[in-house]
Amino acid sequence: MNALATAPVRGRLLRDEPLARHTSWRVGGAADRYFEPADRDDLIAFVRALPADEAVLWLGLGSNLLVRDGGFRGTVICLHNALDELRVEEGSEGRRLHAQAGVHCARLAKFAEREQLAGLGFMAGIPGTVGGALAMNAGAWGGETWPRVAEAELLFRGGRTDWIARDAVRYRYRHVELPSDALGFLAARFEVETDADGEHARYTRASLAQRKATQPVGRPSAGSTFRNPPGDHAARLIEACGLKGHRIGGAEVSTQHANFIITDATARAADVEALITHIALTVRAQTGIELVTEVRIVGDARSEGGAP
């Protein structure tokens, strides 16, 4: 790690940083290295100093992610407090919204509403950043990220950057295929329409009110745990199997929304993972349907003390 150890950075570079501080479930072991860049140029310079084989975890708000108790053997790059530029661009293709990867999805939705622009209201229901939404084609209320993308900027190993058009990206429900040497997204330009009469803004506000009424907003969770199977909803299947309120250690199936797992102060990542496994096995046994996790699970399953 000599190159990385001596690389000058203007942001924060920490060692053995507990990732429970940076994930929405508030569980998970430490990362070998944790970096918050000062800005885009600082990030690119840092990536240029990374060894070619360094394991890298791209982090936004830490939602949709479970880091195991043994932590992450590599470098975590967090854009939560960086790359937060957001603006309207005028061009031959009309008005577009330019958002850097660290912008909160809810902030993007509110900005679009303020500018009387429609098409991104569903972003208000995504508990993450633009970078995370791009990486997994996140969606809410029937809307998805990539159908709204005009082009996105990728950062590759070695520090190369490139803008790619939507048509050059293969994506589907909660999945995006990227080049093997791509580390993560830097920014995107989104297609929007005019919302002069405010109809789209009213729909967004109504959807947010529905979300607050039906989801455990304010409790530690990672959003939806499982993808919806074709023609059905994971929450309905989980509830039908009698799993609402089921608990393992400090992790519990929400009684408000069955596709949410919430944690308390005693929870460990192992509790959450065990509950995810139990839910999937129970639903398969009772319904024959294989639930697929929407959350990403990374890291070492061993505890930080070395015990399994």
Side-chain angles (χ1 to χ4, degrees), residues 283-307:
V283 170
R284 183 177 67 183
Q286 293 191 24
T287 71
I289 295 174
E290 295 273 359
L291 289 181
V292 178
T293 54
E294 185 166 311
V295 297
R296 182 183 178 193
I297 301 174
V298 302
D300 192 334
R302 295 174 300 171
S303 69
E304 292 187 45

Side-chain angles (χ1 to χ4, degrees), residues 87 89 96-98 148-151 163 187-191:
R87 65 177 184 268
E89 292 183 343
R96 288 178 173 174
L97 286 189
H98 179 284
R148 279 288 164 184
V149 174
E151 57 182 352
W163 283 90
R189 293 187 176 99
F190 292 94
E191 296 176 342

Side-chain angles (χ1 to χ4, degrees), residues 217-228:
V217 178
R219 299 290 302 275
S221 79
S224 297
T225 307
F226 296 95
R227 301 177 186 178
N228 288 325

Side-chain angles (χ1 to χ4, degrees), residues 133-153:
L134 291 167
M136 65 169 290
N137 192 28
W141 314 333
E144 289 186 336
T145 301
W146 273 94
R148 279 288 164 184
V149 174
E151 57 182 352
E153 187 182 23

